Amino acid sequence: VCGFLSAPLMNVSAANSDTNTITKYSLKFNSNNYTEETATVDGKTITYRAYEKIVYVKNPVDTKYEIMNIYVPEEYYDGTSIGSYNVDTAPIFFPNTVGGYMPAEPGSPGLDERSGEPNAALVALSKGYVVAEPGARGRTTQNESGEYTGKAPAAIVDLKAAVRYLRYNDKIMPGDAEKIISNGTSAGGALSALLGATGNSKDYDSYLKKLGAANERDDIFAVSSYAAITDLDHADMAYEWLFNGINDYKKLVISSDTDYHIQREMVEGTLTEDQIQVSNELSALFPNYVNSLKLTDSNGTPLTLNKNGNGTFKEYVKSFVMDSAQKALDSGTDLSSLTWITIKGGKVTDLDFDQYIQYVGRMKTPSAFDGLDLTNAENELFGTSTTKAQHFTQYGLENSTVSSTLADASVIKMLNPLYYIGTKGTTTSSYWRIRQGTVDNDTSLAVPTLLSAKLENSGFNVDFSMPWDQSHGGDYDLDELFDWTDSIVA
Ligand code: DHB
C-alpha cells in the first residue's frame, strides 16, 4: 500500500488503499529512520544522526512545510557526554528558517550561505545540543484548488505543533523537551518571540486540533529573537515615530522566485506629500500606544512619550544605542568620525538622536507594514484562504487606497506576542535573548525595545541589546548566543 511513498513520508501509519490518499501520519518518532552525517566545525569532525522530513502533525495541510528535521550528536548513542550534556539532558535548539513571512522548509546544519561559517544549527550540534528544525507554512502557500493555506496564524500554529511533537516523543527521543530554545531572525525572529510568549494559550487550540497536533503543552524554555518584525498592528506608528521627518528612503522590495527563495531589491526615492501626511498621522498615534502599555525601566521610571513623541521612552531607546556605542568603543572601534556621538575620556556621554536616525536612514515608506494599497508582505500574511491580502490596523482600513477588508481581531491578536506575555492561561518562556542592530531599519527600534520592556516588567529574564552598526540580520554572534543558552540551562 505504501509502495508509492517517498522517503520523506515514511512515518505514515495509515493509508487509504481505495483512493491511495494518505489520511494519517503517526506522531511517533521513529528512532531507526536516520542517516549518519559528518561535518567540520573549527577543524574538528563531528558525527550526527539526521532524522529528516518528519511530518509533525497527523493531518498536515502541506507536507512540504509541516515537517521537521532532527539532528542528534552520535556520541549520545554510546552514552558519551558532550560538555555537561548527555542524551537525556541535552537542550533542544529549535531554529526556524522563516523569512518574509514566506513558507519555510526546515533548515539543516551546514555552512551559512553568506559567511561560509558553520550555521547556528551546526554550531549547536558541535556543542552537544539536539537540533530540531521545523518548517512552517507561509503567506503564499496554496493548495491544489488555489486556496491559501498559510495565512496567519498558520506559521505559529505549525511551530507550536512541532513543539508538541517534541514533547510527545520526549521519552523516546534524545534531548530534553523541557529545554527547547527557539531561534529565528526577522519574520522568523517574530515567530520565535510569539512561540515563547504564547505557550499553551487556548487561542490556538482549534487550529492545532484540526491539524492533528499532539495533545501536549507547547510552551518553550527560552527564546532567541533577532530583528523581530513583530507587534505588527503597532509597527507602522512605531516606524513613523522613529523616521518622521526623514523623507528620502532606500526601500527594500521583497519578492520570491518559484522556489520561494527571497529576493531583495533596493529602490531609492523621496516621500510624496501624501506619504508625509501619513507619516505625520501615524507618528502622532504612537505616544498613546506607548503610554497605554504602562511600562517602566529597570529603576521603575515610567516609560512615556508626550504628544510630540519625546519623553522617557525615547531616552530609554537612546540608552541602548549609547550602550552599544560604548561597547564598540571599548572593543577598539573608531567612532571619531561620527560627530553625533559625544565621547569624553573614553566614555560615550551623549548621542544626538535625530542625527543618529539620519545615519540609520529610512527604508520603508508609510505605512510601512499595513500598506494602504495592500501590497506589503504583512498585508499578505493577514489574508484568508480566499483573500490574498487584508489590512490589520484601523488606520490602514480607513485610509485604504484600494477595495479592502480588515483581518479578524482574533487573528491579529494571535500574531502579536505583546497581548500574551505573562497573561492568565499562558505560559511565557522564562528566558529571552533579543537583538536588534543599531542600523536595522526594517522595523522601528521601538518594537524590540517595547517587547523587551514588556517581558522584563512581567518578571521574565531578558537579555536585550543592540549590536553596533549591525543591519537587518541574525545569527552573527553565535559564540555569545551559545554562551547565553549554556548559562540559562546550567
Ligand atoms: C522580513 C523583513 C521585513 O522588512 C518585513 O517587513 C517582513 C519580514 C524578513 O526579512 O523576514
Side-chain angles (χ1 to χ4, degrees):
V1 174
C2 293
F4 64 94
L5 295 173
S6 56
L9 304 179
M10 297 248 262
N11 64 335
V12 166
S13 66
N16 183 325
S17 55
D18 294 325
T19 60
N20 257 7
T21 54
I22 300 151
T23 56
K24 264 204 165 179
Y25 288 78
S26 169
L27 291 175
K28 189 159 178 237
F29 177 71
N30 179 351
S31 312
N32 300 317
N33 192 11
Y34 66 89
T35 57
E36 192 147 284
E37 311 279 344
T38 58
T40 308
V41 182
D42 285 341
K44 258 180 36 195
T45 300
I46 63 162
T47 307
Y48 54 95
R49 293 190 184 182
Y51 300 85
E52 294 185 314
K53 299 190 178 179
I54 301 167
V55 176
Y56 52 65
V57 288
K58 281 193 281 196
N59 313 313
V61 173
D62 193 326
T63 53
K64 186 172 180 193
Y65 301 110
E66 290 172 302
I67 54 177
M68 181 157 50
N69 292 342
I70 296 171
Y71 304 95
V72 184
E74 183 62 35
E75 284 97 318
Y76 288 152
Y77 294 93
D78 62 19
T80 309
S81 292
I82 302 178
S84 56
Y85 303 133
N86 64 37
V87 68
D88 296 321
T89 65
I92 301 176
F93 186 61
F94 189 79
N96 74 69
T97 55
V98 176
Y101 285 105
M102 296 294 279
E105 292 184 59
S108 49
L111 301 182
D112 182 87
E113 272 177 32
R114 277 190 228 169
S115 69
E117 298 291 321
N119 64 18
L122 184 51
V123 172
L125 270 178
S126 76
K127 291 176 184 289
Y129 289 71
V130 168
V131 174
E133 305 210 51
R137 291 167 292 164
R139 61 184 160 94
T140 56
T141 323
Q142 284 175 286
N143 65 17
E144 280 159 11
S145 331
E147 289 167 339
Y148 295 108
T149 54
K151 301 299 190 184
I156 184 62
V157 171
D158 285 350
L159 296 186
K160 282 173 174 288
V163 167
R164 288 174 172 216
Y165 179 95
L166 294 172
R167 268 228 174 70
Y168 183 79
N169 290 291
D170 196 22
K171 288 212 171 67
I172 56 171
M173 263 184 64
D176 181 359
E178 295 306 322
K179 294 279 153 56
I180 295 173
I181 301 165
S182 171
N183 182 53
T185 296
S186 195
L191 288 167
S192 185
L194 191 59
L195 187 66
T198 61
N200 308 325
S201 166
K202 294 264 179 290
D203 289 3
Y204 306 84
D205 272 1
S206 61
Y207 297 88
L208 286 157
K209 200 161 186 178
K210 202 164 163 196
L211 288 177
N215 189 15
E216 295 282 341
R217 286 162 39 220
D218 53 52
D219 60 294
I220 58 169
F221 178 66
V223 172
S224 162
S225 174
Y226 291 97
I229 304 290
T230 191
D231 199 1
L232 294 174
D233 40 329
H234 305 101
D236 291 325
M237 52 179 88
Y239 201 83
E240 297 315 319
W241 170 74
L242 198 66
F243 292 110
N244 184 254
I246 306 221
N247 295 336
D248 292 332
Y249 61 86
K250 282 190 195 157
K251 188 183 174 111
L252 183 78
V253 177
I254 305 175
S255 57
S256 72
D257 64 19
T258 47
D259 285 334
Y260 297 132
H261 292 122
I262 290 173
Q263 319 274 303
R264 299 165 144 252
E265 190 196 347
M266 280 294 180
V267 178
E268 288 188 36
T270 303
L271 299 191
T272 63
E273 287 298 317
D274 282 356
Q275 286 172 322
I276 291 171
Q277 166 89 8
V278 171
S279 174
N280 293 341
E281 288 174 8
L282 282 167
S283 64
L285 298 176
F286 191 58
N288 265 347
Y289 173 57
V290 169
N291 298 342
S292 76
L293 292 173
K294 301 203 178 335
L295 299 171
T296 68
D297 69 11
S298 51
N299 299 321
T301 305
L303 297 171
T304 59
L305 292 175
N306 66 20
K307 65 179 189 336
N308 299 322
N310 293 315
T312 50
F313 177 70
K314 188 170 176 178
E315 294 306 309
Y316 187 65
V317 173
K318 178 174 147 178
S319 74
F320 287 98
V321 183
M322 285 175 61
D323 285 351
S324 175
Q326 183 69 54
K327 216 171 154 191
L329 194 64
D330 293 345
S331 64
T333 307
D334 181 3
L335 301 178
S336 61
S337 66
L338 304 175
T339 51
W340 40 272
I341 303 180
T342 310
I343 300 169
K344 286 186 187 142
K347 293 287 166 217
V348 174
T349 57
D350 199 11
L351 182 148
D352 183 315
F353 201 73
D354 288 348
Q355 283 189 51
Y356 158 64
I357 296 305
Q358 294 265 3
Y359 170 82
V360 176
R362 173 191 282 275
M363 179 218 234
K364 295 181 174 182
T365 55
S367 48
F369 297 90
D370 189 357
L372 300 182
D373 60 0
L374 292 183
T375 58
N376 288 349
E378 291 77 12
N379 294 120
E380 284 197 12
L381 170 66
F382 284 103
T384 69
S385 61
T386 52
T387 309
K388 186 176 180 199
Q390 296 193 108
H391 289 297
F392 48 95
T393 64
Q394 204 58 40
Y395 185 91
L397 183 71
E398 282 168 11
N399 294 278
S400 190
T401 58
V402 292
S403 161
S404 61
T405 47
L406 185 66
D408 277 357
S410 65
V411 175
I412 298 169
K413 182 187 176 203
M414 277 188 274
L415 261 281
N416 192 336
L418 280 116
Y419 295 123
Y420 290 90
I421 292 163
T423 58
K424 201 160 170 263
T426 304
T427 315
T428 300
S429 297
S430 299
Y431 296 96
W432 293 73
R433 185 175 192 270
I434 299 172
R435 291 292 181 270
Q436 182 80 5
T438 57
V439 296
D440 187 339
N441 50 13
D442 274 56
T443 193
S444 175
L445 293 172
V447 167
T449 306
L450 286 175
L451 172 66
S452 301
K454 175 79 186 169
L455 286 160
E456 219 162 70
N457 281 220
S458 306
F460 300 103
N461 188 311
V462 185
D463 176 334
F464 173 48
S465 71
M466 298 183 183
W468 185 251
D469 249 0
Q470 174 67 49
S471 58
H472 191 61
D475 290 1
Y476 39 69
D477 55 354
L478 294 177
D479 285 342
E480 286 131 303
L481 171 64
F482 289 109
D483 283 351
W484 176 78
T485 57
D486 282 345
S487 77
I488 60 171
V489 170

